[in-house]
PDB file of all heavy atoms in Angstrom:
ATOM      1  N   GLN A 293     -12.036  19.175   0.708  1.00  0.00           N
ATOM      2  CA  GLN A 293     -12.195  20.611   0.956  1.00  0.00           C
ATOM      3  C   GLN A 293     -11.994  20.928   2.450  1.00  0.00           C
ATOM      4  O   GLN A 293     -11.314  21.876   2.803  1.00  0.00           O
ATOM      5  CB  GLN A 293     -13.592  21.038   0.523  1.00  0.00           C
ATOM      6  CG  GLN A 293     -13.733  22.515   0.373  1.00  0.00           C
ATOM      7  CD  GLN A 293     -15.107  22.856  -0.206  1.00  0.00           C
ATOM      8  OE1 GLN A 293     -16.080  22.106  -0.033  1.00  0.00           O
ATOM      9  NE2 GLN A 293     -15.186  23.959  -0.882  1.00  0.00           N
ATOM     10  N   ALA A 294     -12.578  20.112   3.303  1.00  0.00           N
ATOM     11  CA  ALA A 294     -12.464  20.351   4.742  1.00  0.00           C
ATOM     12  C   ALA A 294     -11.039  20.099   5.239  1.00  0.00           C
ATOM     13  O   ALA A 294     -10.542  20.818   6.107  1.00  0.00           O
ATOM     14  CB  ALA A 294     -13.450  19.465   5.493  1.00  0.00           C
ATOM     15  N   VAL A 295     -10.370  19.100   4.657  1.00  0.00           N
ATOM     16  CA  VAL A 295      -8.968  18.852   5.050  1.00  0.00           C
ATOM     17  C   VAL A 295      -8.102  20.044   4.624  1.00  0.00           C
ATOM     18  O   VAL A 295      -7.242  20.498   5.378  1.00  0.00           O
ATOM     19  CB  VAL A 295      -8.427  17.532   4.439  1.00  0.00           C
ATOM     20  CG1 VAL A 295      -6.924  17.393   4.668  1.00  0.00           C
ATOM     21  CG2 VAL A 295      -9.136  16.331   5.060  1.00  0.00           C
ATOM     22  N   LEU A 296      -8.362  20.570   3.415  1.00  0.00           N
ATOM     23  CA  LEU A 296      -7.577  21.729   2.953  1.00  0.00           C
ATOM     24  C   LEU A 296      -7.773  22.923   3.882  1.00  0.00           C
ATOM     25  O   LEU A 296      -6.822  23.647   4.176  1.00  0.00           O
ATOM     26  CB  LEU A 296      -7.971  22.106   1.515  1.00  0.00           C
ATOM     27  CG  LEU A 296      -7.464  21.152   0.429  1.00  0.00           C
ATOM     28  CD1 LEU A 296      -8.001  21.570  -0.938  1.00  0.00           C
ATOM     29  CD2 LEU A 296      -5.938  21.102   0.397  1.00  0.00           C
ATOM     30  N   ALA A 297      -9.009  23.123   4.356  1.00  0.00           N
ATOM     31  CA  ALA A 297      -9.272  24.243   5.273  1.00  0.00           C
ATOM     32  C   ALA A 297      -8.511  24.040   6.581  1.00  0.00           C
ATOM     33  O   ALA A 297      -7.931  24.978   7.133  1.00  0.00           O
ATOM     34  CB  ALA A 297     -10.769  24.364   5.532  1.00  0.00           C
ATOM     35  N   ARG A 298      -8.487  22.809   7.066  1.00  0.00           N
ATOM     36  CA  ARG A 298      -7.751  22.514   8.306  1.00  0.00           C
ATOM     37  C   ARG A 298      -6.252  22.698   8.095  1.00  0.00           C
ATOM     38  O   ARG A 298      -5.546  23.183   8.966  1.00  0.00           O
ATOM     39  CB  ARG A 298      -8.047  21.083   8.779  1.00  0.00           C
ATOM     40  CG  ARG A 298      -9.476  20.866   9.222  1.00  0.00           C
ATOM     41  CD  ARG A 298      -9.671  19.437   9.696  1.00  0.00           C
ATOM     42  NE  ARG A 298      -8.980  19.205  10.939  1.00  0.00           N
ATOM     43  CZ  ARG A 298      -9.547  19.245  12.144  1.00  0.00           C
ATOM     44  NH1 ARG A 298     -10.837  19.467  12.248  1.00  0.00           N
ATOM     45  NH2 ARG A 298      -8.830  19.040  13.229  1.00  0.00           N
ATOM     46  N   LEU A 299      -5.781  22.312   6.908  1.00  0.00           N
ATOM     47  CA  LEU A 299      -4.364  22.458   6.585  1.00  0.00           C
ATOM     48  C   LEU A 299      -3.993  23.944   6.554  1.00  0.00           C
ATOM     49  O   LEU A 299      -2.972  24.356   7.109  1.00  0.00           O
ATOM     50  CB  LEU A 299      -4.103  21.789   5.228  1.00  0.00           C
ATOM     51  CG  LEU A 299      -2.685  21.711   4.693  1.00  0.00           C
ATOM     52  CD1 LEU A 299      -1.744  21.031   5.673  1.00  0.00           C
ATOM     53  CD2 LEU A 299      -2.667  20.953   3.361  1.00  0.00           C
ATOM     54  N   ALA A 300      -4.836  24.745   5.921  1.00  0.00           N
ATOM     55  CA  ALA A 300      -4.564  26.188   5.823  1.00  0.00           C
ATOM     56  C   ALA A 300      -4.525  26.824   7.215  1.00  0.00           C
ATOM     57  O   ALA A 300      -3.767  27.750   7.465  1.00  0.00           O
ATOM     58  CB  ALA A 300      -5.623  26.862   4.948  1.00  0.00           C
ATOM     59  N   ALA A 301      -5.348  26.316   8.126  1.00  0.00           N
ATOM     60  CA  ALA A 301      -5.404  26.894   9.473  1.00  0.00           C
ATOM     61  C   ALA A 301      -4.422  26.193  10.419  1.00  0.00           C
ATOM     62  O   ALA A 301      -4.382  26.505  11.608  1.00  0.00           O
ATOM     63  CB  ALA A 301      -6.827  26.767  10.016  1.00  0.00           C
ATOM     64  N   SER A 302      -3.635  25.257   9.904  1.00  0.00           N
ATOM     65  CA  SER A 302      -2.638  24.515  10.695  1.00  0.00           C
ATOM     66  C   SER A 302      -3.266  23.890  11.946  1.00  0.00           C
ATOM     67  O   SER A 302      -2.714  23.962  13.029  1.00  0.00           O
ATOM     68  CB  SER A 302      -1.496  25.459  11.092  1.00  0.00           C
ATOM     69  OG  SER A 302      -0.420  24.722  11.594  1.00  0.00           O
ATOM     70  N   GLU A 303      -4.389  23.226  11.754  1.00  0.00           N
ATOM     71  CA  GLU A 303      -5.100  22.676  12.913  1.00  0.00           C
ATOM     72  C   GLU A 303      -4.585  21.313  13.353  1.00  0.00           C
ATOM     73  O   GLU A 303      -4.883  20.859  14.444  1.00  0.00           O
ATOM     74  CB  GLU A 303      -6.596  22.549  12.585  1.00  0.00           C
ATOM     75  CG  GLU A 303      -7.293  23.891  12.586  1.00  0.00           C
ATOM     76  CD  GLU A 303      -8.792  23.747  12.422  1.00  0.00           C
ATOM     77  OE1 GLU A 303      -9.375  22.894  13.102  1.00  0.00           O
ATOM     78  OE2 GLU A 303      -9.356  24.479  11.602  1.00  0.00           O
ATOM     79  N   ASP A 304      -3.847  20.642  12.463  1.00  0.00           N
ATOM     80  CA  ASP A 304      -3.422  19.277  12.777  1.00  0.00           C
ATOM     81  C   ASP A 304      -1.915  19.169  12.605  1.00  0.00           C
ATOM     82  O   ASP A 304      -1.290  20.017  11.980  1.00  0.00           O
ATOM     83  CB  ASP A 304      -4.113  18.300  11.809  1.00  0.00           C
ATOM     84  CG  ASP A 304      -5.603  18.508  11.789  1.00  0.00           C
ATOM     85  OD1 ASP A 304      -6.286  17.990  12.680  1.00  0.00           O
ATOM     86  OD2 ASP A 304      -6.080  19.250  10.900  1.00  0.00           O
ATOM     87  N   ASP A 305      -1.345  18.084  13.135  1.00  0.00           N
ATOM     88  CA  ASP A 305       0.086  17.855  12.905  1.00  0.00           C
ATOM     89  C   ASP A 305       0.318  17.544  11.430  1.00  0.00           C
ATOM     90  O   ASP A 305       1.200  18.109  10.794  1.00  0.00           O
ATOM     91  CB  ASP A 305       0.581  16.675  13.752  1.00  0.00           C
ATOM     92  CG  ASP A 305       0.595  17.010  15.235  1.00  0.00           C
ATOM     93  OD1 ASP A 305       0.936  18.150  15.574  1.00  0.00           O
ATOM     94  OD2 ASP A 305       0.252  16.135  16.041  1.00  0.00           O
ATOM     95  N   LEU A 306      -0.493  16.621  10.907  1.00  0.00           N
ATOM     96  CA  LEU A 306      -0.312  16.184   9.524  1.00  0.00           C
ATOM     97  C   LEU A 306      -1.665  15.973   8.857  1.00  0.00           C
ATOM     98  O   LEU A 306      -2.638  15.615   9.526  1.00  0.00           O
ATOM     99  CB  LEU A 306       0.440  14.842   9.484  1.00  0.00           C
ATOM    100  CG  LEU A 306       1.857  14.807  10.077  1.00  0.00           C
ATOM    101  CD1 LEU A 306       2.338  13.363  10.187  1.00  0.00           C
ATOM    102  CD2 LEU A 306       2.826  15.625   9.247  1.00  0.00           C
TER     103      LEU A 306
END
Side-chain angles (χ1 to χ4, degrees):
Q293 196 174 27
V295 171
L296 286 176
R298 293 181 70 98
L299 184 56
S302 192
E303 286 187 46
D304 308 278
D305 291 322
L306 299 170

